[in-house]
Amino acid sequence: MGLGPRSPHKAGRRFPSGGKRGNGAKAPGRPLPDRPADRRSESAPEALPHLSPEALGYFRRALSALKEAPETGEERDLMVHNILKEVEDQALALATNRTGSEMLQELLGFSPLKPLCRVWAALRPSLRFVACHRCGVHVLQSALLQLPRLLRSPAGKEEEEEEDGDDGPLETLEELVLGLASEVCDDFLFYCGDTHGSFVVRTLLQVLGGTLLESERARHGGSQPREAQKTPARECKPTDFEVPETFLSRLQDLCSCFLKDIAVFITDKISSFCLQVALQILHRKLPQFCAHLCSAVTAYLSSRNASADGSPLLLFLRDQTSSRLLEQVLLVLEPPKLQSLFEDHFQGQLQTLAAHPIANFPLQRLLDAVTTPELLSLVFEELSPALEAVLAQGHPGVVIALVGACRRVGAHQTQVLQVLLEAFHCAEPSSRQIACVPLFVTLMAYEVYYGLAEEEGAAPAEHQEEMAADRALGEVTVLGSLLLQHLLHFSTPTLILRSLGALTGPQLLTLAQSPAGSHVLDAILTSPSVTRKQRHRVLKTLKGQYVALACSRHGSRVLDAIWSGAALGARKEIATELGEQNQELIRDPFGHHVARNVALTTFLKRREAWEQQQGAVAKRRRALNSILED
């Protein structure tokens, strides 16, 4: 449903929680060169090696035995070398077999330097075929992703060459990687445009740059060190590792290939992913070349035929493929370049972009990239009058990104909060402002949330606290939770805290037990803008709800965080309430962890010892906080 400028008495509405990208009109650009079907088979073996059931069974048993063996020791090392020697003889058959490929990927995760090099060398004559094979590509990726581990180890730094039978000296890992890069460079368009080959290119770019991106670590968890596999994907960040100088030089050579056919990499979906990864790596390792590549992209797009409603770039912002590339360009541009790009192409078009099903995503990335008050002021002035319409169109991500920019830059925080209150119909009368938290977290306007049927032209009703207290908290949305987290980190989150303090115990419990809502409680506990007194005023509402909190997957995590920062007196209150239902806690899969964390058995049986223990913990925490503050 469309929304014009809000009148004081406009009927309430439910804001859509957000939409997915649709298909945009194809932007003009040079099509990919023809890729004849027989090109891939040029390097394929005349007869693809067959992996017998017996061989498959052997490798399955060997992998199982390897997993059960001790993690260190001569026996394990001998086992690894023997298995990988057998792998070397059947490397191509394993790599191109679905089950064999999966096992080979796991085996490479255990492999020392020299055996891995021998397996890689065995695949090299058929490298092009393997790289574009639906199973073989994952083996090559797994081999590349072993570099951080092998380059860190003492064995990985050895330069000695090892004779490999009649094949002459074995190539070093560095030579193998550079050789793969040379082959990819020689036929760059083919590899980047191939569905499977593009994965090798993207992994190769990361390895040459000494940076593994979060998305790749999550995708290839099976081939990482065991410590990395234990890290939740949402906590993974880009990981840097040292690489030889030759790698960065070859990275620049490889990325120069994008400039030769820039139109293809902007408009072709598969090839575009390679350029997006390259920009992320170059931004971290070769920023000047990254800026040069960004300039080439924007210069090409700006040179196309102008669209009817302004800059030529706007056409590409509405395209499914090129808009994703532009998102990455926006995130890696330096502030002066970003300001110029905004003034040349975005200014005056923000409301139109915010309403578009595809263009609203690059607009969100523009907002994520804003770091200066000057640019934020220009964006805020243009976009803020349309926030209610943007929400009604189902693009709340734009609103969240704008609020996040205000938090990050530290400007326009009071103004954006006022605009939000007006968009959710709780600015006037002022009594409605106390209800802003339930509205924000559920992304519902006031009349929709409370089921009011106000007549057109009638004065908005005053907020009824009794009605609000009797109503269960609505469904917490992910984006609504993000909105509240940003607002709690504003320099003055007083109104948000007052609204949170007005929630009843069951309502706050619902928020804490929600997967998304629990992070709002995290923000209360961690925001530097929330004082200890304000924090206590909100959290005291949970008194009487601690057992229910402890017996919840997400609530128990919130309770652990509350406990960690609680003073001794507050800990006594929590332990006393939990102790009244000790048996229920012990039987619950989440509650028994809380009981152990609280040392509930000691509290119930040896209160004095418990108080001494908790007093010592509190003393250590105060000392640590004092050091950190200094």
Side-chain angles (χ1 to χ4, degrees):
M1 85 193 86
L3 278 181
R6 175 183 176 272
S7 68
H9 312 303
K10 186 173 289 291
R13 62 194 88 255
R14 179 192 299 267
F15 298 124
S17 60
K20 296 181 179 180
R21 292 174 182 264
N23 291 319
K26 279 292 177 185
R30 187 144 58 94
L32 271 174
D34 293 333
R35 292 194 289 269
D38 61 347
R39 288 195 70 186
R40 186 182 302 177
S41 62
E42 287 176 5
S43 58
E46 292 184 3
L48 193 65
H50 174 66
L51 191 65
S52 67
E54 293 79 11
L56 201 59
Y58 163 77
F59 287 115
R60 185 181 287 111
R61 292 191 300 274
L63 181 59
S64 177
L66 190 58
K67 289 178 178 179
E68 295 174 1
E71 293 194 9
T72 57
E74 292 183 7
E75 182 180 347
R76 177 189 175 83
D77 293 342
L78 182 61
M79 184 185 299
V80 169
H81 280 81
N82 288 341
I83 295 171
L84 289 170
K85 182 61 179 174
E86 295 297 326
V87 166
E88 180 187 345
D89 296 335
Q90 302 193 56
L92 186 59
L94 276 167
T96 52
N97 175 279
R98 181 175 179 179
T99 303
S101 168
E102 292 173 356
M103 290 191 293
L104 183 50
Q105 291 174 62
E106 285 200 71
L107 286 168
L108 291 176
F110 296 109
S111 176
L113 173 64
K114 295 302 181 183
L116 183 137
C117 289
R118 286 196 293 269
V119 171
W120 193 323
L123 292 172
R124 182 153 190 184
S126 305
L127 204 53
R128 181 190 182 97
F129 174 72
V130 174
C132 298
H133 189 277
R134 66 181 184 276
C135 300
V137 59
H138 299 299
V139 173
L140 276 183
Q141 283 184 288
S142 294
L144 284 167
L145 290 170
Q146 302 313 312
L147 263 76
R149 171 175 66 86
L150 295 173
L151 291 176
R152 278 198 309 265
S153 67
K157 297 177 182 177
E158 293 177 0
E159 295 296 332
E160 64 184 77
E161 292 184 341
E162 179 178 314
E163 293 295 326
D164 192 23
D166 298 330
D167 297 329
L170 180 69
E171 289 184 285
T172 65
L173 188 59
E174 179 178 349
E175 291 169 340
L176 288 166
V177 174
L178 294 176
L180 174 60
S182 294
E183 178 160 340
V184 168
C185 201
D186 289 341
D187 206 350
F188 197 61
L189 272 183
F190 172 77
Y191 280 103
C192 289
D194 185 87
T195 303
H196 306 300
S198 66
F199 282 95
V200 173
V201 177
R202 282 140 60 181
T203 309
L204 180 61
L205 289 167
Q206 295 172 77
V207 168
L208 291 174
T211 298
L212 293 186
L213 301 176
E214 177 182 353
S215 57
E216 293 300 320
R217 294 183 65 197
R219 184 181 294 117
H220 297 283
S223 59
Q224 298 176 57
R226 295 183 181 183
E227 303 90 323
Q229 294 180 39
K230 297 175 183 177
T231 306
R234 63 181 174 82
E235 296 179 6
C236 294
K237 301 297 179 186
T239 304
D240 293 332
F241 57 97
E242 290 187 14
V243 293
E245 291 184 7
T246 53
F247 278 24
L248 290 178
S249 176
R250 190 57 55 88
L251 173 66
Q252 186 163 334
D253 293 341
L254 204 61
C255 290
S256 296
C257 296
F258 289 111
L259 297 170
K260 300 174 185 176
D261 295 278
I262 195 71
V264 175
F265 294 103
I266 290 172
T267 56
D268 180 73
K269 180 179 180 180
I270 297 173
S271 302
S272 178
F273 287 138
C274 296
L275 180 50
Q276 291 171 47
V277 169
L279 289 173
Q280 294 178 71
I281 302 302
L282 292 171
H283 179 60
R284 296 172 68 87
K285 296 303 175 74
L286 297 172
Q288 290 184 334
F289 193 82
C290 178
H292 179 55
L293 202 50
C294 287
S295 296
V297 171
T298 54
Y300 171 80
L301 295 179
S302 303
S303 68
R304 300 300 90 191
N305 294 330
S307 59
D309 53 355
S311 162
L313 198 67
L314 298 177
L315 177 63
F316 293 91
L317 288 169
R318 298 183 178 98
D319 174 65
Q320 181 83 322
T321 297
S322 56
S323 67
R324 289 184 181 273
L325 175 60
L326 282 167
E327 287 182 39
Q328 197 56 57
V329 169
L330 290 166
L331 289 173
V332 301
L333 279 178
E334 294 300 319
K337 293 283 188 181
L338 186 68
Q339 179 92 20
S340 298
L341 187 70
F342 172 80
E343 293 172 354
D344 293 342
H345 303 284
F346 284 83
Q347 197 162 18
Q349 301 293 332
L350 297 189
Q351 293 188 20
T352 302
L353 296 175
H356 193 274
I358 293 175
N360 80 89
F361 290 101
L363 175 57
Q364 291 178 44
R365 300 295 80 76
L366 171 67
L367 293 166
D368 290 342
V370 171
T371 57
T372 64
E374 295 78 15
L375 182 53
L376 179 59
S377 294
L378 292 172
V379 170
F380 184 82
E381 181 180 355
E382 185 177 338
L383 198 54
S384 59
L387 288 198
E388 182 174 354
V390 172
L391 287 166
Q393 287 155 353
H395 302 155
V398 174
V399 178
I400 308 303
L402 179 61
V403 175
C406 294
R407 166 191 171 181
R408 187 173 58 254
V409 179
H412 297 285
Q413 294 182 353
T414 303
Q415 296 96 313
V416 80
L417 178 57
Q418 181 62 33
V419 173
L420 285 171
L421 294 174
E422 293 170 0
F424 283 85
H425 303 178
C426 60
E428 296 293 340
S430 58
S431 60
R432 287 189 174 191
Q433 295 181 10
I434 199 70
C436 66
V437 162
L439 307 183
F440 291 167
V441 82
T442 58
L443 292 180
M444 292 184 188
Y446 186 91
E447 298 85 355
V448 175
Y449 185 84
Y450 289 108
L452 303 180
E454 294 187 343
E455 296 182 4
E456 189 73 23
E462 294 284 343
H463 180 64
Q464 303 295 321
E465 293 187 10
E466 296 80 5
M467 172 188 67
D470 291 341
R471 190 187 190 286
L473 186 69
E475 183 181 355
V476 179
T477 65
V478 172
L479 291 177
S481 172
L482 287 171
L483 176 59
L484 277 181
Q485 290 172 56
H486 285 318
L487 293 172
L488 283 165
H489 280 85
F490 276 13
S491 58
T492 309
T494 308
L495 175 59
I496 305 302
L497 291 167
R498 280 202 300 118
S499 183
L500 282 163
L503 296 179
T504 64
Q507 289 170 342
L508 193 59
L509 175 65
T510 299
L511 186 66
Q513 289 178 327
S514 162
S518 62
H519 295 293
V520 175
L521 277 295
D522 291 339
I524 297 172
L525 293 167
T526 59
S527 172
S529 304
V530 180
T531 65
R532 181 178 292 275
K533 187 175 181 180
Q534 290 172 323
R535 192 174 292 124
H536 174 71
R537 191 178 296 124
V538 173
L539 296 179
K540 71 178 182 180
T541 310
L542 286 172
K543 188 174 181 180
Q545 310 291 333
Y546 292 137
V547 174
L549 205 59
C551 295
S552 159
R553 175 186 296 274
H554 301 285
S556 60
R557 185 185 60 78
V558 170
L559 185 55
D560 283 341
I562 293 172
W563 177 266
S564 179
L568 181 59
R571 289 190 173 198
K572 284 183 182 179
E573 288 184 1
I574 295 172
T576 299
E577 184 176 323
L578 294 176
E580 293 172 358
Q581 299 189 49
N582 182 41
Q583 292 304 313
E584 180 180 341
L585 283 177
I586 292 174
R587 288 192 297 267
D588 186 86
F590 305 109
H592 83 275
H593 288 294
V594 173
R596 184 177 58 188
N597 188 39
V598 172
L600 199 55
T601 302
T602 305
F603 175 80
L604 294 173
K605 296 183 177 180
R606 292 177 291 134
R607 179 73 59 88
E608 187 175 340
W610 183 89
E611 290 186 4
Q612 289 178 353
Q613 180 189 41
Q614 298 302 318
V617 170
K619 186 176 180 180
R620 287 196 300 271
R621 188 174 67 250
R622 285 195 300 271
L624 178 61
N625 289 339
S626 176
I627 293 171
L628 294 175
E629 288 170 3
D630 292 343

